[in-house]
Amino acid sequence: MKFLLKNKLLLLILFLGLFLRFYNLSSVPQGFFSDEAAVGYNAYSIIKTGRDEFGKFMPLFFRSFGEGKLPLYVYQAVPFIFLLGPTKLAVRFPGALFGSLTILALYWFLIEILPFSKVSKKHYQPIALASALSLAIMPWHIHFSRGVFGQESIFWVILGSALIVNGLKRSNKLFTTLGFISFSCSLLIYHSPKVILPLWAPILLLTINSQLKKSLSWLTKQVAPGVLLLIAVWGIMTFNPLGMARSKGVSVFSEQSGVSAKLFEIQSLQFNLNNSVLISNLFNNKFESFGRDIIGRYLSHFNPDLLFISGDTIRPRYRVPNQPQVFIIFLPFLILGTYLCFSKKLYLPFIFLLLAPLPASMSFETPSTVRALFETPALATLIGIGLIGAINIIKSKSNLIKNSFITILFSIFIYQFASYANSYFIINNIFKPYEWQYPYQPLAAVLKDLEPNYDRIIVNDSAGPPYIFLLFFYKYDPAKYQLEVNQHIGDSDIFGFIHINGFSKYEFNKTDCTYDQYAKNTLFVCRGLGPEIDKSHLIQSIYYADGKIAFSIFDPEHEN
């Protein structure tokens, strides 16, 4: 009760964060994309059989789509699937929950590290509260908390950082070990911590140790068990072949990035001009080409247009239409907060911000707001510091200036927030709905009714892997599917994703539509209108939320 009375503002901020992440969660986003369906069905399969969709008992890596999904990414959904059933809400629940808890973790972490700075003690809680509020209402963090994106890893890293700092301050080995366990949990959810933690952990430890004025031998005794655990988990998660599959598929060093092809092209051009291999390789080599490419990708994540104007323009699924990642009203506070971080010798939040885009810069799809999501707590902290700094400057001014500042700030924020809410909860449902693979749910409902009347159902899967949606929405018996799946595993594509050819009476193909007008007892599901098919055989069309046709269902024996 004492905690509740002393932390009313923090609880209000938490409730705001919970509301923004849970409100209408099963319907917004309207779609339900393939990773969400895969996590949901594999969690459901674990509950029913103790095995994943391919029949592997309690796997460390989930083979799903052939990419090797990390374990906690799936296992964290199990209790919610168990309680709520295989539903969209149950699958999205962990993301919204841990996204909300990250607000509390950030508050605690700042309370722990602020005493090591030159910030006045009376400002510790205001800065922590302002930073927590900034994260609670940040569009970037809200967006990725309302789906299955692996953002829960941020919670575990921030929580682990708070536990370690607290443990070192009190010479409490239990807390420091719990902190490293928390770090290890982040490695079991998403790939970004594999790059960030090997840099962040030693920086955090050495920074706090220097502030405590302890010896390295003392530090070693405090953290040795936790460090050994973290190294072991990091090694397993990083170097397992299945765990590396996804990283290799999107790596800037893969052929799909195009960097090697560009390098070969310029080397050939240079060689043809002066006929010198030495000169060609001196100025055009892998170190220079990949280094320049990675640096460019890294810097793209600090582009003001990305952060404050347009948002993520690479993947529509990762953005809200016509909205930024961070409200532009916070830009002045971010600048002021960055300045104050240096003047008050509070370096850790800024260091964390610099580390955050490193995983994204190693992939060829940049800027990537999902892989650079670790920027959000750092940005929230700098904004929080800047906001409190601005308040301290303004409060010494006249009432006219103070009232004008508050009125203008509040008015602009309310306008931007209302615009964001309108875009996210209303416009977002019709903004490029194919990105969220919305029509598979209504398609599954229609096919389930039609299924008893047909021997074969052939579905075009050029819009995504239909098998996982049908398994999830049908609540298809995992034990039954595990017996037949190995007969239907097809080839892998250039990114390593495997193709499932079918299950039960369903067949999936990647061509536009394999319609056969002479087929008997066969249903064809084609993307869009279906090319050159007599529409008299059309049974039903499935529509996107924007009114465009997503799928057309045909029966050659049916006549309208």
Side-chain angles (χ1 to χ4, degrees):
M1 188 64 183
K2 185 182 289 187
F3 176 83
L4 296 178
L5 292 174
K6 290 178 66 175
N7 296 276
K8 291 185 214 176
L9 282 177
L10 178 59
L11 290 174
L12 287 174
I13 291 169
L14 175 61
F15 289 146
L16 175 61
L18 286 164
F19 175 78
L20 292 174
R21 285 155 181 79
F22 277 98
Y23 173 70
N24 213 8
L25 185 60
S26 61
S27 302
V28 181
Q30 188 180 57
F32 191 69
F33 66 98
S34 53
D35 278 344
E36 293 181 300
V39 166
Y41 188 73
N42 277 278
Y44 180 62
S45 183
I46 290 292
I47 292 169
K48 292 294 185 181
T49 68
R51 302 176 183 274
D52 72 352
E53 64 179 281
F54 293 95
K56 186 173 179 60
F57 180 74
M58 301 298 289
L60 182 58
F61 294 92
F62 286 80
R63 191 182 175 187
S64 174
F65 305 146
E67 64 175 341
K69 284 183 170 58
L70 299 179
L72 203 52
Y73 190 66
V74 175
Y75 287 120
Q76 67 183 3
V78 167
F80 303 102
I81 297 287
F82 178 79
L83 293 172
L84 304 174
T87 61
K88 292 164 68 173
L89 177 61
V91 173
R92 291 173 174 172
F93 205 104
L97 176 62
F98 286 105
S100 302
L101 292 177
T102 305
I103 298 167
L104 291 180
L106 179 62
Y107 173 87
W108 184 25
F109 175 61
L110 292 175
I111 290 295
E112 294 292 343
I113 66 169
L114 282 167
F116 296 121
S117 70
K118 290 188 174 182
V119 173
S120 172
K121 185 176 181 179
K122 66 181 180 181
H123 293 141
Y124 293 172
Q125 189 175 46
I127 286 175
L129 287 171
S131 302
L133 176 62
S134 177
L135 186 66
I137 61 177
M138 186 179 291
W140 193 350
H141 194 263
I142 293 171
H143 185 79
F144 288 104
S145 296
R146 295 178 61 93
V148 176
F149 296 101
Q151 64 80 29
E152 302 88 351
S153 58
I154 300 175
F155 165 76
W156 293 109
V157 170
I158 302 299
L159 176 64
S161 300
L163 284 165
I164 288 170
V165 175
N166 184 279
L168 291 176
K169 286 163 69 174
R170 298 191 296 122
S171 298
N172 188 321
K173 290 183 181 180
L174 174 61
F175 267 47
T176 55
T177 303
L178 288 174
F180 282 102
I181 291 173
S182 186
F183 278 175
S184 299
C185 287
S186 74
L187 294 168
L188 303 177
I189 297 175
Y190 198 56
H191 298 283
S192 291
K194 296 178 186 177
V195 179
I196 292 173
L197 282 179
L199 299 170
W200 172 246
I203 289 172
L204 178 67
L205 292 174
L206 293 174
T207 299
I208 300 304
N209 191 62
S210 67
Q211 293 290 335
L212 293 173
K213 296 181 171 54
K214 299 287 188 178
S215 66
L216 287 178
S217 61
W218 176 87
L219 178 64
T220 302
K221 291 177 183 177
Q222 290 291 317
V223 304
V227 169
L228 291 175
L229 171 67
L230 182 64
I231 291 173
V233 174
W234 182 85
I236 294 170
M237 293 296 106
T238 302
F239 297 111
N240 181 280
L242 188 56
M244 294 172 66
R246 181 58 176 157
S247 300
K248 286 183 176 180
V250 299
S251 170
V252 71
F253 300 105
S254 68
E255 291 184 11
Q256 288 72 40
S257 73
V259 179
S260 295
K262 291 177 183 177
L263 174 60
F264 178 77
E265 181 181 357
I266 194 67
Q267 283 179 331
S268 300
L269 179 62
Q270 180 82 57
F271 178 78
N272 291 334
L273 286 173
N274 52 36
N275 202 32
S276 172
V277 174
L278 178 62
I279 293 177
S280 177
N281 290 338
L282 178 63
F283 297 110
N284 306 285
N285 52 72
K286 288 186 176 181
F287 181 81
E288 185 274 337
S289 294
F290 282 103
R292 177 160 42 85
D293 188 81
I294 290 170
I295 291 171
R297 295 178 189 277
Y298 174 83
L299 293 176
S300 70
H301 294 90
F302 298 109
N303 186 340
D305 181 66
L306 168 73
L307 296 176
F308 300 103
I309 306 296
S310 303
D312 191 330
T313 57
I314 304 296
R315 290 290 298 274
R317 187 189 300 163
Y318 297 161
R319 65 178 294 215
V320 178
N322 302 316
Q323 295 295 321
Q325 304 301 125
V326 183
F327 293 126
I328 196 169
I329 187 64
F330 291 148
L331 177 57
F333 304 118
L334 175 62
I335 296 171
L336 178 59
T338 303
Y339 165 75
L340 290 174
C341 260
F342 284 91
S343 65
K344 299 297 182 180
K345 299 188 181 302
L346 183 64
Y347 301 123
L348 285 174
F350 188 75
I351 292 172
F352 196 87
L353 179 64
L354 294 180
L355 297 178
L358 286 175
S361 67
M362 306 298 286
S363 67
F364 61 77
E365 189 180 66
T366 52
S368 173
T369 51
V370 67
R371 297 188 183 102
L373 193 57
F374 274 75
E375 285 186 42
T376 54
L379 289 171
T381 300
L382 296 177
I383 291 168
I385 294 169
L387 181 59
I388 299 303
I391 291 173
N392 288 331
I393 294 171
I394 293 297
K395 71 180 182 181
S396 62
K397 306 299 180 182
S398 67
N399 288 334
L400 177 62
I401 293 177
K402 284 191 287 189
N403 292 335
S404 298
F405 172 79
I406 293 172
T407 301
I408 293 171
L409 177 65
F410 190 72
S411 298
I412 294 175
F413 170 72
I414 289 297
Y415 175 80
Q416 290 189 333
F417 188 82
S419 174
Y420 166 75
N422 176 67
S423 293
Y424 186 83
F425 291 103
I426 299 175
I427 298 175
N428 196 41
N429 282 341
I430 60 173
F431 176 71
K432 300 188 177 181
Y434 57 84
E435 276 285 326
W436 286 96
Q437 298 172 308
Y438 159 74
Y440 279 112
Q441 185 172 7
L443 175 65
V446 172
L447 292 182
K448 191 165 187 177
D449 288 337
L450 295 173
E451 179 184 320
N453 304 322
Y454 295 90
D455 297 328
R456 298 171 66 203
I457 301 176
I458 302 175
V459 183
N460 166 241
D461 74 351
S462 61
Y467 87 94
I468 198 66
F469 295 101
L470 298 179
L471 291 175
F472 179 82
F473 289 119
Y474 286 180
K475 301 179 184 178
Y476 194 83
D477 183 2
K480 182 179 178 182
Y481 180 71
Q482 291 162 19
L483 292 174
E484 54 186 306
V485 62
N486 289 324
Q487 307 167 33
H488 299 289
I489 298 176
D491 298 329
S492 300
D493 64 16
I494 59 173
F495 298 106
F497 291 112
I498 59 175
H499 179 249
I500 300 298
N501 296 322
F503 71 90
S504 185
K505 60 176 67 176
Y506 289 88
E507 301 172 25
F508 309 113
N509 61 74
K510 286 187 171 294
T511 56
D512 286 339
C513 190
T514 55
Y515 181 77
D516 180 1
Q517 61 180 327
Y518 302 109
K520 304 294 184 183
N521 294 320
T522 302
L523 200 63
F524 294 90
V525 180
C526 301
R527 190 176 181 184
L529 284 169
E532 301 178 3
I533 299 176
D534 186 347
K535 299 306 181 282
S536 66
H537 302 305
L538 176 67
I539 292 181
Q540 188 171 338
S541 293
I542 306 296
Y543 293 87
Y544 288 114
D546 61 1
K548 295 178 182 177
I549 295 178
F551 294 106
S552 297
I553 304 173
F554 295 95
D555 176 359
E557 299 178 274
H558 173 80
E559 293 288 344
N560 288 324

